[in-house]
Amino acid sequence: MYGKLYSACLYGIDGRLIEVEVDLSNGIPHTMIVGLPDSAVREAVERVRAAIKNCGYVFPLQRVTINLAPADLRKEGSAFDLAIALGILSASKQVVLPANERLLMIGELSLDGLLRPVSGVISMVDLAKRQGFDAVLLPWENTEEAMLLGGISIYGLKHLNELSPTENGRSKPHSPSAQTKEGPLVISSFAHLKCSGNETSRPSHTPGLLTEDYSDVLGQLHAKRAMTIAAAGKHNIMLIGPPGTGKTMLIRRLPSILPELSQDEALEVTKIYSSAGKFKGAESTLIRSRPFRSPHHTISAAGLVGGGGIPRAGEVSLAHHGVLFLDELPEFARNALEVLRQPLEERKVTISRSRAAFTFPASFQLAVSLNPCPCGFFGGQPPLPRCTCSPYRVAQYRERISGPLLDRIDMHVEVPLPANWLNDKQPLSSEEMRKAVLYAQELQQQRYKGLEISSNSELSGKLLRKYARLNREAVQLLEATFQSIGLSMRAYDRIIKLSRTIADLEGADCISAGHVAEAIQYRQLDHRIVDANG
């Protein structure tokens, strides 16, 4: 006796189709799962055995072989329980499943037959939709999340006994004797479990902006201008200054001036959070606000970029299409910071294991803050306290940030203690800054339509030369600066990208010397830090 059903697992953030084959043969009663299962999958045998028995069915007293194909792909998690249970019941002729529907089955079973929710449902449902399945059968608690995609029928199951037709609002009870007398349970359709036809995508709720507003920050017009430029072109930014000048406040309000996620971006971000078990679908909407991640400085390298035996998404992927904020950058371990170099350049993370390589999206905007020295007052002027750090301690503190990493941060902005900030009666608000950001990003969307990039920060090579044209004065100023302060070629390109964004904020087609001059002032700090380290 043989049966085959379909389930799914996560491969990175994407769903992967798994065939669950069940074979019953004569011999000493024994159940074996093959196909590279991990511990959670091997333990499914005992969960399924107890669930089948406690729901009134009979676990076959035969040799049961369960194969999870493809056999060379490592399987993990408990999402195969439902498919294994129904595969056994189908192969043993206790249940006859619908023949007119191609089903994908996902779910973890408890010992009494209850269905428990699993992670990564959106990715698996998206897989089923692309593979041409008619419906997905999954735990009831995952239905809200599953129905976000639309275009495929969703069947929500609370208990294994709900597979049978209902009588007077209750599921028909099962018992071994009833199975013997009445024959197998024939399920012609799962219509009694159907949650939604899902012919079209459900409308998504758009959350409002964060309650934090830039009007809370008095003064600091120079820093707010820098934040506007960073948001408009999705540039990485560093704020450096003594304690109490508002560096953290400025960065934490960055999401309030960013546009909402597009439909494709929202689906991609929601898939990442679903695969990481951080999305419950409670609001029945895709994630619309841009992620803002602020990990503690004790985080490991694996926590930042992802890892594990079967890798999971790290902070750089959870910040995809959003902001990754590292407060007090030198306090992070240097080896953790160095792993950021690849995702900052390639906008993805590839983690290799012996059997496979996993790729996670990581197109994020890096925002960092730091003090100029351990005490925080190096180079400060009265009324700030005098710096108590020795030159050696200052150099040691700054050496925690490598030159290659610093080179990948587009903007280095000094945030001093603002003068006359108490007299700022009408501080610049997030709404005003956001209007400028949206205007500049609309120009970029039109300019890069049909290309693989969407922002100025992604320009490189031929595209940089094509879309970031400098007039003669701008070229002369940039070449003179390059020779005088010794910028790297990467810094040279980043100045041009910044200039392109500054020009977009003004609605200018060509980059002028004024745009370049403003961009250069945001790149002088890395030169000073290199000098201090050298």
Side-chain angles (χ1 to χ4, degrees):
M1 291 180 284
Y2 171 84
K4 180 171 74 172
L5 299 176
Y6 293 95
S7 187
C9 68
L10 285 177
Y11 191 85
I13 67 166
D14 297 316
R16 186 72 178 265
L17 187 65
I18 302 297
E19 294 182 1
V20 179
E21 300 177 291
V22 178
D23 179 76
L24 306 182
S25 59
N26 295 328
I28 298 174
H30 177 68
T31 304
M32 175 182 293
I33 298 182
V34 296
L36 286 181
D38 72 345
S39 297
V41 179
R42 286 193 296 268
E43 291 168 354
V45 171
E46 301 308 321
R47 291 194 298 271
V48 169
R49 188 195 308 274
I52 287 177
K53 175 180 66 71
N54 290 326
C55 289
Y57 296 101
V58 178
F59 194 91
L61 294 177
Q62 295 174 279
R63 183 177 181 86
V64 182
T65 304
I66 302 163
N67 180 43
L68 305 179
D72 61 345
L73 179 68
R74 183 77 175 173
K75 321 298 187 309
E76 72 160 4
S78 56
F80 307 111
D81 288 10
L82 181 59
I84 291 173
L86 292 181
I88 292 173
L89 294 176
S90 176
S92 62
K93 308 301 183 185
Q94 299 181 66
V95 171
V96 177
L97 297 173
N100 59 343
E101 282 189 306
R102 191 164 179 244
L103 290 169
L104 187 75
M105 301 181 180
I106 307 166
E108 176 186 337
L109 280 170
S110 64
L111 299 185
D112 63 352
L114 285 170
L115 269 291
R116 291 196 173 111
V118 295
S119 300
V121 163
I122 283 188
S123 298
M124 299 180 197
V125 174
D126 184 48
L127 167 72
K129 184 178 175 181
R130 289 185 283 105
Q131 293 282 346
F133 281 81
D134 299 307
V136 180
L137 181 64
L138 42 66
W140 178 264
E141 293 182 45
N142 286 128
T143 55
E144 293 291 337
E145 180 180 347
M147 289 191 294
L148 295 178
L149 290 178
I152 188 170
S153 295
I154 302 299
Y155 298 138
L157 189 64
K158 294 181 180 178
H159 196 282
L160 203 56
N161 273 339
E162 291 184 350
L163 291 174
S164 63
T166 58
E167 291 182 352
N168 300 323
R170 293 188 177 183
S171 299
K172 291 173 62 177
H174 298 288
S175 68
S177 59
Q179 290 296 319
T180 303
K181 294 176 181 179
E182 301 175 8
L185 170 65
V186 179
I187 305 173
S188 59
S189 172
F190 287 106
H192 61 290
L193 301 174
K194 197 169 186 178
C195 300
S196 172
N198 287 325
E199 299 302 327
T200 57
S201 297
R202 300 177 64 182
S204 297
H205 169 69
T206 302
L209 294 177
L210 297 180
T211 56
E212 295 180 339
D213 193 280
Y214 273 109
S215 59
D216 301 330
V217 183
L218 302 180
Q220 299 295 10
L221 292 180
H222 175 67
K224 289 183 179 181
R225 167 68 174 176
M227 300 304 295
T228 303
I229 295 170
K234 299 182 182 178
H235 299 288
N236 303 322
I237 186 168
M238 169 190 288
L239 300 185
I240 181 169
T245 55
K247 303 185 298 296
T248 301
M249 287 183 66
L250 286 162
I251 293 178
R252 286 198 176 276
R253 283 155 179 75
L254 181 57
S256 68
I257 62 174
L258 295 176
E260 296 159 358
L261 293 169
S262 66
Q263 180 69 18
D264 291 340
E265 290 174 339
L267 177 57
E268 194 171 13
V269 170
T270 304
K271 286 172 66 174
I272 294 173
Y273 277 75
S274 176
S275 66
K278 298 181 181 294
F279 178 76
K280 305 303 179 184
E283 296 182 354
S284 303
T285 64
L286 296 175
I287 295 175
R288 285 296 182 182
S289 56
R290 293 190 178 270
F292 184 88
R293 304 294 298 181
S294 180
H296 193 261
H297 65 263
T298 56
I299 192 171
S300 64
L304 273 178
V305 299
I310 296 182
R312 295 296 190 191
E315 290 292 333
V316 296
S317 296
L318 294 173
H320 185 55
H321 292 313
V323 178
L324 177 65
F325 175 36
L326 303 182
D327 199 9
E328 296 301 333
L329 187 67
E331 300 300 329
F332 287 78
R334 178 158 181 161
N335 66 320
L337 294 178
E338 291 305 300
V339 299
L340 293 175
R341 287 159 60 174
Q342 181 205 11
L344 284 173
E345 287 292 326
E346 300 181 6
R347 300 185 182 275
K348 62 182 180 180
V349 174
T350 301
I351 303 174
S352 298
R353 293 293 182 262
S354 58
R355 290 187 177 272
F358 298 81
T359 299
F360 298 90
S363 180
F364 61 94
Q365 184 177 355
L366 179 64
V368 304
S369 68
L370 70 154
N371 295 324
C373 67
C375 77
F377 299 106
F378 179 81
Q381 302 295 326
L384 291 175
R386 182 179 178 183
C387 177
T388 59
C389 303
S390 66
Y392 173 76
R393 286 191 66 199
V394 174
Q396 189 179 42
Y397 180 75
R398 294 180 175 180
E399 281 176 357
R400 299 178 188 177
I401 310 170
S402 69
L405 176 61
L406 189 66
D407 218 24
R408 287 168 168 81
I409 300 177
D410 302 350
M411 306 176 68
H412 312 141
V413 182
E414 295 187 63
V415 185
L417 186 67
N420 300 320
W421 57 274
L422 289 175
N423 296 325
D424 191 357
K425 303 302 182 183
Q426 291 184 325
L428 191 63
S429 69
S430 291
E431 183 179 359
E432 298 171 88
M433 297 167 66
R434 191 167 186 265
K435 287 180 180 178
V437 170
L438 293 176
Y439 172 75
Q441 291 204 354
E442 178 64 27
L443 292 178
Q444 294 170 62
Q445 290 175 6
Q446 295 175 4
R447 182 186 303 132
Y448 307 131
K449 188 176 182 179
L451 301 177
E452 295 182 355
I453 66 173
S454 60
S455 64
N456 292 331
S457 64
E458 300 174 71
L459 286 171
S460 63
K462 294 180 179 179
L463 293 179
L464 181 62
R465 293 191 293 272
K466 179 179 179 180
Y467 293 108
R469 295 183 293 106
L470 287 75
N471 63 23
R472 181 180 301 177
E473 292 78 10
V475 171
Q476 293 174 349
L477 174 60
L478 189 55
E479 289 180 349
T481 303
F482 180 77
Q483 295 176 1
S484 62
I485 65 176
L487 293 174
S488 68
M489 288 303 298
R490 182 182 289 112
Y492 182 89
D493 286 349
R494 291 185 183 273
I495 288 176
I496 297 177
K497 297 177 192 179
L498 277 174
S499 302
R500 177 68 273 170
T501 301
I502 295 169
D504 285 342
L505 287 168
E506 296 181 2
D509 182 57
C510 188
I511 299 172
S512 67
H515 303 142
V516 173
E518 183 176 1
I520 289 173
Q521 69 173 327
Y522 298 127
R523 290 294 308 185
Q524 292 182 350
L525 185 57
D526 62 334
H527 178 65
R528 297 178 190 175
I529 291 182
V530 170
D531 285 346
N533 289 341

